Amino acid sequence: MGGLQAQEPQEPFAGLWTRLREFAPAQLSDPLVEGRVLRTHLVRRTVHLLTAEDVLAWRARHDAMLRQRIVGAYRRQLDGIDLDELAAAGRAVVADGEPRSLTELARALVDRWPETDPRALGEMLTSLIPVAQLPPRGVWRAKGGVRNVAVSVLLGREIDPLPEDAADPVGQAMIRRYLAAYGPAATADVRAWSGVAGLPAAVAAMNPELVAFRDERGRELLDLPGAPLPDPETPAPVRFLPAFDNAVLGYHHRGRIIDDADRGLSVAGARFVLVDGRVAATWVVEDGTVVVTPRRPLARVERVEVAEEGQRLALFLSDPTATVRACGSSTCRRDGDPERRSPPKASPSQSSNAPRTTGVAESD
């Protein structure tokens, strides 16, 4: 998948559950605790889970984008600061391996840059220096603030240097991983997913090995040879996506999976239900119950399929007594219950058994 979106710490568990036939939370929690999977800013400079090997191999290819995004956001606050000097000072601080929050990172350098906004300093440092967020943040049902540690200290080696090769081998590796998960897709889709510029050279070098299609708009779509390409009439199973999932955000033209009217929800942290491969509903958790709110009318068979999959998700997220409720525009129906008014929607954080969310939105 080329990384799993993880800016909301508990969401990756639902993201893997919905993709795998069998998934237990320990399959993600254990690699996080052991350092085989890292939480780090990378794709689009949002927090993603990646294997340690991918962080080492891909981080340098993202460096320019990571730097540019923070400079763009804090241009005034960072004006006049030599970023190479800041990076060197930051590396000296994190070399001790002490976990630090964003504020603590900035505080360590405040004497040197006393007039600079601490938030801007901290954000810039986490873009200039490869760092990872330590557990328990991101561990199943665990709470923990952000504690950053240098990747070089955590893994005992520096990230791989960017190869001096015009064919961009790292970019090629990223494209292969992206297409394996989300292809067929356009070059613009790969850039929208990664945030990384300069990928056309990698695409050009890969052209002999890729398969090309045209979509209904005439755009060229690329894919890996031998990749599955189901018949258009093949029904897609119902899937519950977590917040900010790359199945929605990982495309330049998101109309292939979500209606334009709902596009704003995709960057506001809404969790989606896919019916026949398109966003058809949103979902939240209320007191151990998965509450589904359709974005369009659902046929009876679709409602049954959504309810069945929602029941399985509820059991995964909470306990065997969890239920699923499929809501219409003004009513909710529990299997076998009379129709009734829908209660006010609550935040998933109100359920002690549900993944907690902060409502922080990823920019479009």
Side-chain angles (χ1 to χ4, degrees):
M1 292 176 59
L4 194 64
Q5 224 287 355
Q7 72 186 68
E8 299 292 352
Q10 294 294 304
E11 298 296 295
F13 293 96
L16 288 176
W17 175 87
T18 202
R19 286 174 165 88
L20 302 175
R21 282 193 174 89
E22 294 183 8
F23 172 70
Q27 291 175 269
L28 179 56
S29 286
D30 289 352
L32 270 169
V33 171
E34 295 162 3
R36 293 184 285 119
V37 168
L38 305 184
R39 285 178 53 86
T40 188
H41 285 93
L42 200 75
V43 178
R44 300 188 301 279
R45 206 198 167 269
T46 53
V47 177
H48 273 65
L49 296 180
L50 297 101
T51 66
E53 291 81 4
D54 283 345
V55 173
L56 291 169
W58 292 4
R59 167 61 200 233
R61 186 63 179 83
H62 289 75
D63 277 353
M65 178 271 292
L66 295 170
R67 177 183 296 214
Q68 290 164 4
R69 294 215 169 186
I70 296 304
V71 168
Y74 295 98
R75 189 173 304 278
R76 180 179 58 82
Q77 295 93 326
L78 297 170
D79 185 46
I81 292 183
D82 184 318
L83 296 184
D84 291 335
E85 182 183 349
L86 177 61
R91 288 191 187 95
V93 169
V94 300
D96 62 5
E98 184 70 23
R100 291 178 174 87
S101 67
L102 201 73
T103 301
E104 290 167 338
L105 282 172
R107 190 181 298 146
L109 298 175
V110 71
D111 290 341
R112 195 157 176 180
W113 288 278
E115 303 301 322
T116 303
D117 175 60
R119 178 76 184 187
L121 271 182
E123 293 280 10
M124 194 73 247
L125 284 168
T126 58
S127 289
L128 293 172
I129 306 167
V131 296
Q133 299 178 1
L134 291 182
R137 190 168 182 82
V139 172
W140 177 246
R141 293 185 179 173
K143 298 179 183 179
V146 174
R147 300 181 305 135
N148 299 288
V149 68
V151 169
S152 60
V153 173
L154 186 63
L155 301 182
R157 54 170 284 195
E158 298 290 341
I159 63 169
D160 297 342
L162 196 61
E164 294 183 4
D165 185 337
D168 190 6
V170 179
Q172 291 185 45
M174 291 164 50
I175 291 169
R176 288 189 187 93
R177 194 76 64 79
Y178 173 81
L179 291 177
Y182 304 111
T187 303
D189 295 322
V190 183
R191 177 167 181 173
W193 161 72
S194 67
V196 171
L199 290 172
V203 173
M206 298 173 65
N207 263 334
E209 70 177 83
L210 298 179
V211 180
F213 304 93
R214 293 283 174 182
D215 68 8
E216 64 279 4
R217 302 166 62 201
R219 298 187 314 156
E220 182 180 59
L221 303 180
L222 303 174
D223 207 354
L224 300 175
L229 196 66
D231 184 276
E233 299 305 314
T234 303
V238 170
R239 289 292 180 261
F240 280 66
L241 298 182
F244 305 117
D245 196 278
N246 283 324
V248 177
L249 295 185
Y251 296 101
H252 174 69
H253 176 54
R254 296 175 189 163
R256 65 192 293 171
I257 193 169
I258 187 170
D259 293 342
D260 287 344
D262 296 332
R263 180 178 172 129
L265 295 174
S266 68
V267 294
R271 295 158 163 163
F272 293 124
V273 181
L274 302 185
V275 177
D276 199 22
R278 292 189 61 81
V279 170
T282 60
W283 66 276
V284 296
V285 178
E286 296 176 358
D287 300 323
T289 299
V290 173
V291 180
V292 176
T293 303
R295 302 296 299 174
R296 64 164 175 81
L298 297 178
R300 180 177 180 82
V301 65
E302 292 175 331
R303 291 172 66 87
V304 170
E305 291 171 353
V306 168
E308 290 175 348
E309 185 70 1
Q311 180 72 61
R312 288 188 284 269
L313 175 62
L315 294 173
F316 171 76
L317 293 176
S318 52
D319 58 61
T321 65
T323 57
V324 61
R325 189 165 66 240
C327 300
S329 58
S330 61
T331 60
C332 292
R333 183 187 295 275
R334 192 187 302 265
D335 238 358
D337 283 359
E339 199 165 68
R340 57 186 176 183
R341 296 289 298 177
S342 171
K345 188 182 296 184
S347 164
S349 64
Q350 293 179 352
S351 170
S352 61
N353 291 323
R356 300 185 66 85
T357 59
T358 63
V360 178
E362 178 176 276
S363 58
D364 193 4

